[in-house]
């Protein structure tokens, strides 16, 4: 079972001035990854926040693209359904 990490994010002075609201959240994290991050003195709160922000931006961009170009998404999905992934034989997973 993954170790539970309590993310406590404390704002920098600049962020405090911007009145950024933060809250703690419990998130399960791979124990080995967590140990390695701690050994490297990684700021876990900042790393978690940056990762979440990156995931949110990527999801927003993907949804925007799908909304703006539904024909492209549909065409691509049809191609993959009919022919498979173009470089599938080179996949390592």
């Amino acid at each position: 079972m993954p170790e539970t990490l309590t993310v406590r994010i404390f704002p920098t002075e600049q962020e405090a001035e911007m009145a950024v609201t933060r809250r703690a959240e419990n998130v399960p994290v791979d124990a080995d990854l967590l140990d390695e991050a701690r050994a490297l003195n990684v700021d876990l709160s900042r790393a978690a926040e940056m990762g979440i922000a990156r995931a949110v931006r990527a999801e927003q961009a993907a949804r925007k693209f799908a909304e703006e170009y539904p024909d492209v998404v549909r065409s691509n999905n049809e191609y993959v359904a009919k022919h498979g992934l173009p470089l599938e034989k080179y996949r390592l997973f």
Side-chain angles (χ1 to χ4, degrees), residues 39-59:
L40 295 168
N41 293 319
V42 171
D43 181 338
L44 298 176
S45 296
R46 180 62 59 205
E49 185 174 11
M50 288 170 46
I52 293 167
R54 180 180 293 163
V56 166
R57 286 191 306 271
E59 184 63 27

Side-chain angles (χ1 to χ4, degrees), residues 34-89:
L34 190 56
D35 291 343
E36 189 173 354
R38 286 183 175 146
L40 295 168
N41 293 319
V42 171
D43 181 338
L44 298 176
S45 296
R46 180 62 59 205
E49 185 174 11
M50 288 170 46
I52 293 167
R54 180 180 293 163
V56 166
R57 286 191 306 271
E59 184 63 27
Q60 288 171 333
R63 289 180 184 204
K64 182 178 179 184
F65 183 89
E67 184 179 302
E68 291 178 359
Y69 302 100
D71 294 337
V72 173
V73 173
R74 186 173 33 262
S75 173
N76 192 40
N77 289 341
E78 289 170 359
Y79 177 89
V80 171
K82 184 175 181 179
H83 304 286
L85 294 173
L87 301 175
E88 188 167 8
K89 65 182 178 181

Side-chain angles (χ1 to χ4, degrees), residues 20-36:
V20 175
T21 301
R22 302 207 185 281
R23 69 173 177 243
E25 184 68 37
N26 289 330
V27 180
V29 177
D30 178 277
D32 293 335
L33 179 61
L34 190 56
D35 291 343
E36 189 173 354

Side-chain angles (χ1 to χ4, degrees), residues 1-4 28-31:
M1 181 171 195
E3 183 176 336
T4 300
V29 177
D30 178 277

